[in-house]
Amino acid sequence: DGRPIGVEGIQVLGTGNLMISDLTVQHSGIYVCAANKPGTRVRRTAQGSLVVQAPAEFVQHPQSISRPVGTTAIFTCVAQGEPPPQITWLRNGQILETSDHIKLKNNNSTLSIYGINQADEAIYQCLAENSAGSTQASARLTVLWADGLPSPPQSVRAETVSATTIQVSWEKPLQNTKEIIGYVLHIRKAADPVEMEYQEAVSKSTFQQLVTDLEPSTSYSFYIKAYTSRGASKASEVTVVSTLGEVPAMPSLFIKVINSTTVQATWEPSIKLGQHEGFKLYYRKVHLSQYTGPVLLASNITAYNITHLDASVVYEVKLLAYNQHGDGNSTVRFVSLRETVERTVLNPPCDCMKDEQNNKTSTTGIIIGIHIGVTCIIFCILFLMFGYRGRLLMCKNVQEQLSTPQIPRSQRSATGLVLNGATRRDRDDRDLNGKQLDMNELERLFPASPSQEQQEKGITSAHSLSAPHDETQISTLPLDEFSIIEEQPDPLPKNPHGSSPAAPAPNHGPANEG
């Protein structure tokens, strides 16, 4: 097996023989012989398998035991060998037959005797054998039986109370009842082996026991033993009874709204639901008394769609499981589709292509609008700039004209009109050229013909006689911005058209209108 060979008990005979003395199971394995030609790298191997057969031998022998009546006796027998041995049990030299209270486990290496009685007292032999040989070992079972033990309890009865409860009752033994310290009720499913049995202790004054936590629709076996300080009585007669069938438990129901006319009822299969043949589904409008259904569904169905519903009302959905014993309790849920309808109206389905086109159109419109707005702002700024410049020019000319009243050139040197308490004669002569240019520009922009309204308000006008055309200057000032000093008017020249000149009105003080 690839491991080096020991030297103890092993000899090499000649040039190619291997001899193993005192052969044991541990010498089993594959042996390899290798040979090579001297002076070369040519190497040859050959191998052979050694199987050492060993007769069965016990690793653990069965032990003799003593047990009281009604208890359990266990024998253990473990053997080894090559090949592995088979174990057979004998009872007083005869092959042991298994039964409800005699069981073999772990490849027949363990013998268990449940509820032993005097008939089980015997010699039990364990036989281990293989192709190399066999061996055997034996042990004795002594059943302890004391004189004066109680007789078995009488009249054992079992009555079904529910799907999980059975009432067991009995009567006290007929003999030797004074030393009884209690009773033991032995319980197991009728279909289970004896080793699956379990017990419940009952006081000596109680002759009934309520056995709970049983499975529905299941058969159970019961028997009673009376116990004393010296041992137990024989077992009573065995009685078998079945629990009642149980209807399924309530299923877990969930309701999901699919659309404005459809809901989906779903439920989960559960172990607690129990044995069931299927489900029954009912539904109705809450203001009606009659259900629609039942809709019968198989036991493997876990969902159902309820269609053609009215979205304006509330529905009640009911689900229950049933079996051969009847219908279980139902689970009820209420559902309304109104919110779904309102949500659909408020949030209509998205037309992605249309929305995308609208988004593109809106974006284009926004860009165009921005360009138009910027252009308008620019034009407005330019208009305000040029308009403000023209207004400044006009105001400047008007102010100068108001400062120096326009009179005929022939009379400018003779007039002594002083406005706002300052003499303007020198300034008129000094700025005549510049003012003339501004006046020409102003006359070009604003015609000099006065309006009727201005004439009615007393706008002052002067007509030049020496100039080839009339120059009319109009000015309007607040009363508190100017004053008039009366001077002697010069003789007015005659009207070129032959009419008498207009006499100036006498000045009686500051006028209300100028």
Side-chain angles (χ1 to χ4, degrees):
D1 294 336
R3 300 188 301 270
I5 301 174
V7 296
E8 184 176 358
I10 298 177
Q11 295 179 348
V12 177
L13 301 178
T15 58
N17 300 312
L18 180 68
M19 185 179 70
I20 302 175
S21 304
D22 298 329
L23 195 65
T24 63
V25 177
Q26 286 73 20
H27 288 103
S28 297
I30 298 175
Y31 290 81
V32 179
C33 174
N36 63 289
K37 185 178 181 180
T40 67
R41 295 184 179 180
V42 179
R43 184 181 180 87
R44 296 290 184 266
T45 61
Q47 67 182 26
S49 178
L50 172 62
V51 178
V52 179
Q53 294 187 347
E57 60 179 354
F58 290 110
V59 177
Q60 182 177 356
H61 293 77
Q63 301 294 323
S64 297
I65 57 176
S66 298
R67 292 290 183 269
V69 174
T71 59
T72 300
I74 299 176
F75 297 97
T76 302
C77 179
V78 179
Q80 67 179 9
E82 184 61 38
Q86 298 292 327
I87 296 177
T88 305
W89 286 92
L90 305 176
R91 182 178 181 271
N92 294 329
Q94 304 293 326
I95 296 178
L96 178 66
E97 295 181 359
T98 59
S99 61
D100 290 340
H101 76 290
I102 299 177
K103 299 294 182 180
L104 294 175
K105 300 179 180 178
N106 300 325
N107 294 326
N108 295 344
S109 63
T110 302
L111 170 62
S112 300
I113 304 175
Y114 301 93
I116 61 176
N117 51 45
Q118 290 180 339
D120 295 322
E121 187 173 281
I123 296 176
Y124 294 88
Q125 297 167 295
C126 175
L127 177 63
E129 57 182 350
N130 60 7
S131 58
S134 63
T135 185
Q136 65 91 25
S138 61
R140 183 181 182 87
L141 172 61
T142 301
V143 178
L144 300 178
W145 178 257
D147 294 335
L149 291 177
S151 60
Q154 302 294 310
S155 304
V156 179
R157 297 179 303 273
E159 297 179 0
T160 302
V161 177
S162 67
T164 60
T165 305
I166 293 177
Q167 178 80 35
V168 181
S169 61
W170 62 92
E171 295 179 1
K172 64 181 180 179
L174 298 177
Q175 300 174 354
N176 303 325
T177 60
K178 294 181 179 180
E179 297 183 2
I180 295 177
I181 60 176
Y183 297 91
V184 174
L185 176 62
H186 297 253
I187 308 165
R188 70 177 177 92
K189 292 182 181 179
D192 287 348
V194 177
E195 58 267 24
M196 297 297 292
E197 178 184 278
Y198 66 97
Q199 298 86 31
E200 291 185 4
V202 185
S203 68
K204 65 178 182 179
S205 61
T206 302
F207 299 97
Q208 64 180 11
Q209 178 72 4
L210 190 64
V211 183
T212 59
D213 296 331
L214 303 178
E215 296 183 7
S217 303
T218 305
S219 296
Y220 286 87
S221 66
F222 304 91
Y223 67 89
I224 310 294
K225 287 184 179 181
Y227 277 79
T228 68
S229 59
R230 295 182 294 119
S233 68
K234 293 183 179 181
S236 67
E237 295 181 356
V238 177
T239 180
V240 179
V241 68
S242 298
T243 54
L244 294 176
E246 186 180 31
V247 297
M250 294 173 57
S252 299
L253 177 62
F254 306 93
I255 302 297
K256 178 182 179 182
V257 177
I258 303 300
N259 54 47
S260 60
T261 60
T262 304
V263 298
Q264 184 182 57
T266 60
W267 55 93
E268 297 178 357
S270 174
I271 299 177
K272 296 181 179 180
L273 194 62
Q275 297 294 329
H276 62 283
E277 297 179 1
F279 299 94
K280 294 181 181 180
L281 180 69
Y282 301 83
Y283 63 94
R284 67 169 180 175
K285 298 178 181 178
V286 293
H287 62 275
L288 299 180
S289 60
Q290 187 174 2
Y291 285 93
T292 300
V295 179
L296 298 180
L297 303 168
S299 60
N300 59 343
I301 301 298
T302 58
Y304 181 79
N305 288 346
I306 305 174
T307 58
H308 302 92
L309 300 179
D310 187 356
S312 62
V313 298
V314 178
Y315 282 85
E316 177 185 354
V317 182
K318 181 172 67 173
L319 180 72
L320 59 86
Y322 69 94
N323 58 14
Q324 69 273 17
H325 302 292
D327 295 343
N329 294 329
S330 60
T331 304
V332 179
R333 294 288 183 269
F334 295 91
V335 61
S336 174
L337 290 80
R338 183 177 302 174
E339 295 181 358
T340 304
V341 175
E342 294 176 354
R343 186 162 57 249
T344 303
V345 173
L346 295 176
N347 301 318
C350 173
D351 187 352
C352 298
M353 296 299 295
K354 184 176 179 180
D355 290 346
E356 184 177 359
Q357 294 177 359
N358 292 337
N359 292 335
K360 291 181 180 179
T361 305
S362 300
T363 305
T364 305
I366 291 173
I367 295 174
I368 295 175
I370 292 173
H371 284 291
I372 293 175
V374 172
T375 304
C376 292
I377 292 172
I378 294 174
F379 274 108
C380 289
I381 294 173
L382 294 177
F383 178 77
L384 292 175
M385 291 175 62
F386 283 103
Y388 183 70
R389 181 175 179 278
R391 187 184 305 172
L392 291 176
L393 181 61
M394 180 183 69
C395 293
K396 179 179 179 182
N397 293 334
V398 171
Q399 183 177 4
E400 291 174 353
Q401 295 169 19
L402 292 175
S403 300
T404 306
Q406 298 296 326
I407 59 177
R409 289 183 177 87
S410 62
Q411 299 178 6
R412 287 182 182 176
S413 61
T415 59
L417 180 63
V418 178
L419 186 62
N420 292 329
T423 303
R424 300 290 179 153
R425 185 185 306 270
D426 296 337
R427 182 178 177 181
D428 292 342
D429 295 338
R430 188 168 54 249
D431 298 336
L432 181 62
N433 295 331
K435 290 182 179 179
Q436 186 65 33
L437 294 176
D438 294 338
M439 287 300 301
N440 292 336
E441 182 66 20
L442 186 62
E443 289 175 359
R444 185 180 64 83
L445 294 174
F446 303 97
S449 60
S451 62
Q452 183 67 23
E453 181 180 1
Q454 292 171 341
Q455 293 177 2
E456 292 177 355
K457 291 183 179 180
I459 302 300
T460 305
S461 62
H463 300 279
S464 177
L465 299 179
S466 62
H469 62 277
D470 296 337
E471 292 182 357
T472 303
Q473 298 298 327
I474 301 170
S475 65
T476 302
L477 293 174
L479 296 179
D480 56 355
E481 293 183 3
F482 69 92
S483 63
I484 300 176
I485 300 175
E486 182 178 358
E487 293 182 357
Q488 295 295 328
D490 294 336
L492 298 175
K494 296 182 179 180
N495 194 309
H497 298 286
S499 60
S500 60
N507 189 2
H508 299 287
N512 293 331
E513 293 183 359

